[in-house]
Amino acid sequence: MKKIICFAMFLALSLPPLGACALTLAVEDAWEPYANPDGTGMSVEIVTAAFKSVGVEVVLEVLPYARVLHEVKSGKYVGGFNVAREASREDDFLWGREMLFLAHAHYYHHKSSPLRAQDPRSLQDGERIGVIRGYEYGNLFHDHEGIVRVWANRHDQIIDMLRLGRVQAVIMFEKTAGLYLREMHLEDEIQAAFPSEPSRIFVAFSKRRPEAPHYLELLDEGLRRIKADGTYQAILDKY
């Protein structure tokens, strides 16, 4: 019996803790500058720094956003980001206490044909709003029955629709809008009209993976650590 106990203790001491192993996460591929097609970006830096602070190496699989949601939900990946925590998907995933960040968004219009509305509630029936397929824009947007939603796959597409007058407005997150409008030399033509609802961005963890709660707790701890030591704010300031 003594030999069996000693052998069990040897195995326990020789096996690495879950937190010390490499963790593969899915990340979306087209929400610049939060998550870029090459696997870089603000949220990528936040997640990798947080896990590094608790001894976890992160390996990233860069995928379209819809696949991130599907494959985390199905259990192929332990977790994925950037996922907006909204009521419509609250029960689909496991969520930590610490969000990655709060993403602020606006309705943008063309200065030659500005919106009459002063807020999302006063948008007129029939107005066409360009948005990205699969993204979440809050209850005020999704519950408005009068507007026409025009979906596209990329931000440059909805910006072109606005520039050409095919939609009356588009919704974009602040950092994404700033990046694209500078690159497309449209900062003087396309301007923010009024705020949309902000999104609480998380790493969503799979309910089908038994190790997910462990990594969820490690991420929460890592985020608290990098916020306390200034790493988190330094990353935000870069973007």
Side-chain angles (χ1 to χ4, degrees), residues 5-146:
I5 293 173
C6 289
F7 181 66
M9 291 177 64
F10 169 77
L11 284 178
L13 291 172
S14 62
L15 289 172
L18 274 173
C21 300
L23 169 65
T24 301
L25 295 175
V27 59
E28 65 174 310
D29 64 352
W31 192 27
E32 301 93 331
Y34 306 96
N36 303 317
D38 63 357
T40 62
M42 187 181 89
S43 63
V44 173
E45 291 194 36
I46 291 171
V47 171
T48 54
F51 273 119
K52 183 179 179 181
S53 75
V54 291
V56 179
E57 176 189 354
V58 174
V59 177
L60 297 174
E61 292 286 345
V62 183
L63 304 170
Y65 184 62
R67 281 189 61 195
V68 171
L69 297 177
H70 173 75
E71 297 192 352
V72 172
K73 187 176 180 180
S74 70
K76 182 173 181 178
Y77 296 102
V78 175
F81 61 104
N82 302 285
V83 182
R85 187 172 182 176
E86 294 192 347
S88 62
R89 61 167 53 103
E90 182 70 24
D91 295 333
D92 292 339
F93 304 102
L94 300 175
W95 308 92
R97 293 184 176 87
E98 301 287 334
M99 66 179 174
L100 298 182
F101 54 88
L102 187 67
H104 295 278
H106 283 79
Y107 285 76
Y108 289 81
H109 58 186
H110 200 284
K111 71 175 185 180
S112 65
S113 54
L115 290 169
R116 294 182 181 178
Q118 299 298 312
D119 57 59
R121 291 184 178 85
S122 57
L123 288 166
Q124 299 178 15
D125 289 353
E127 287 191 306
R128 297 166 62 84
I129 310 299
V131 284
I132 300 297
R133 187 172 284 106
Y135 276 27
E136 303 85 10
Y137 295 99
N139 293 332
L140 291 178
F141 171 77
H142 292 291
D143 293 345
H144 196 307
E145 297 180 356

Side-chain angles (χ1 to χ4, degrees), residues 119-184:
D119 57 59
R121 291 184 178 85
S122 57
L123 288 166
Q124 299 178 15
D125 289 353
E127 287 191 306
R128 297 166 62 84
I129 310 299
V131 284
I132 300 297
R133 187 172 284 106
Y135 276 27
E136 303 85 10
Y137 295 99
N139 293 332
L140 291 178
F141 171 77
H142 292 291
D143 293 345
H144 196 307
E145 297 180 356
I147 60 174
V148 178
R149 297 159 182 82
V150 183
W151 302 95
N153 292 322
R154 302 194 314 270
H155 289 91
D156 60 328
Q157 292 174 333
I158 61 173
I159 291 171
D160 274 338
M161 288 192 291
L162 181 59
R163 181 176 60 85
L164 296 171
R166 295 173 183 168
V167 296
Q168 280 71 58
V170 300
I171 304 177
M172 292 189 289
F173 291 92
E174 286 179 344
K175 294 182 185 297
T176 304
L179 179 68
Y180 273 93
L181 294 178
R182 284 193 302 272
E183 290 181 349
M184 298 174 74

